[in-house]
């Protein structure tokens, strides 16, 4: 395994072990609201510190962009680790077993490796640019689903920014017409990993953050999928808007949501952020 990817795996597993120590003690945790429908627990912060400590020891010249710690350090070699220590905090706090650790490494803005670790199922998803994507050493490929009939899609509601809800619901309505179903499980990182491994045929969401999606994007790309923003471009890290599936299904999904893409969705959303 690539040394940097191996170190990311080590950090993700360490954070996952820490998270699992608190699974049955959620009621004792200190929880702080960060914004509308957005919470952080002391587990999030501890897990991020654990990840940063492991990676910083190995790569002291690298910078970090974390959900809880923000930007840390100056990347002299243009390397930035993008970290979500607990994607699905609300699920975790409610005992809903759908959350994960997500770690990606960017070099000059390009995602080079990614790890998503589900500590509940002990499932490890990894990807290396040009080296493919795996789940526990099994090579991943997106599904060959070529139409909506029988397709299972994933999504996430724009719960932090209600201004986009009407556009989102219109997309949801039209995509739901002919599919086998749409799932909203509450962890974008795992949703993207599930597209990469074929558990979901496609996924879309409004207003994600870089740490929500960086690792998952590379997983899907290395598994043969297409990832774009809502205008079929590559500005998903800037806009926070993601549309992904295999090439054929992606085209159909794009045609379906395009009439509902408002001007506000064509530009960077206030809730989105990008690595500096």
């Amino acid at each position: 395994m690539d040394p940097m990817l191996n170190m990311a795996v080590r950090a993700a597993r360490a954070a996952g072990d820490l998270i699992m120590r608190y699974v049955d003690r959620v009621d004792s945790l200190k929880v702080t609201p960060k914004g509308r429908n957005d919470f952080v627990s002391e587990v999030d912060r501890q897990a991020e510190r654990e990840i940063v400590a492991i990676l910083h020891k190995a790569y002291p010249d690298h910078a970090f962009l974390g959900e809880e710690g923000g930007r840390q350090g100056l990347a002299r070699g243009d390397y930035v680790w993008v970290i979500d220590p607990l994607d699905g905090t609300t699920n975790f706090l409610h005992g809903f077993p759908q959350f994960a650790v997500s770690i990606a490494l960017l070099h000059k803005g390009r995602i080079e490796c990614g790890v998503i670790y589900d500590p509940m199922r002990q499932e490890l998803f990894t990807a290396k640019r040009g080296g493919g994507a795996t789940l526990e050493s099994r090579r991943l490929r997106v599904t060959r689903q070529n139409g909506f009939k029988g397709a299972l899609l994933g999504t996430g509601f724009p719960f932090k920014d209600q201004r986009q809800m009407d556009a989102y619901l219109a997309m949801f309505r039209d995509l739901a017409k002919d599919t086998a179903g749409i799932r909203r499980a509450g962890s974008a990182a795992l949703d993207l990993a599930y597209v990469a491994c074929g558990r979901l045929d496609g996924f879309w969401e409004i207003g994600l953050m870089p740490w929500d999606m960086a690792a998952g994007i590379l997983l899907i790309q290395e598994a043969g999928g297409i990832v774009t923003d809502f205008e079929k471009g590559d500005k998903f890290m800037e806009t926070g808007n993601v549309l992904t599936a295999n090439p054929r299904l992606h085209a159909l999904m794009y045609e379906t949501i395009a009439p509902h893409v408002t001007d506000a969705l064509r530009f960077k959303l206030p809730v989105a952020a990008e690595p500096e």
Side-chain angles (χ1 to χ4, degrees), residues 1-2 24 48 55 59 61 100-101 109 119 135-136 163 172 184 196-198 210 231 250 256 267 270:
M1 185 181 291
D2 175 86
D24 296 323
E48 185 168 312
L55 296 176
Y59 305 107
D61 292 341
V101 180
L135 166 56
E136 300 296 342
R163 292 172 295 177
F172 187 103
R184 199 285 187 189
C197 73
E231 296 206 287
H250 180 279
T256 302
F267 302 99

Side-chain angles (χ1 to χ4, degrees), residues 11-34:
R13 287 192 183 278
D17 289 345
L18 187 152
I19 291 166
M20 291 304 294
R21 291 201 293 271
Y22 288 92
V23 163
D24 296 323
R25 293 189 286 154
V26 170
D27 290 346
S28 68
L29 293 175
K30 180 180 179 181
V31 179
T32 306
K34 293 194 296 183

Side-chain angles (χ1 to χ4, degrees), residues 102-122:
S102 179
I103 303 173
L105 177 63
L106 275 60
H107 182 242
K108 296 184 177 180
R110 190 171 80 161
I111 309 168
E112 294 296 331
C113 68
V115 172
I116 295 173
Y117 179 56
D118 177 348
M120 289 293 293
R121 298 176 183 83
Q122 296 186 2

Side-chain angles (χ1 to χ4, degrees), residues 6-17:
N6 187 57
M7 195 58 62
V9 168
R10 184 184 302 179
R13 287 192 183 278
D17 289 345

Side-chain angles (χ1 to χ4, degrees), residues 98 116 125 133 135 138 140-145 152-155 183 187-205 216-227 242-247 249-250 253:
Q98 189 79 358
I116 295 173
F125 300 84
L135 166 56
R138 177 175 63 84
L140 300 184
R141 298 298 297 176
V142 296
T143 68
R144 297 180 180 179
Q145 182 72 31
L152 183 65
L153 305 181
T155 189
R183 301 290 182 262
S187 170
L190 280 180
D191 288 337
L192 294 169
Y194 284 9
V195 173
C197 73
R199 293 174 184 171
L200 292 172
D201 295 298
F203 175 82
W204 88 103
E205 187 162 352
I217 284 168
L218 186 61
L219 278 165
I220 292 169
Q221 291 172 337
E222 289 296 318
I226 302 294
V227 184
V242 177
L243 178 67
T244 182
N246 69 55
L249 185 59
H250 180 279
M253 292 177 68

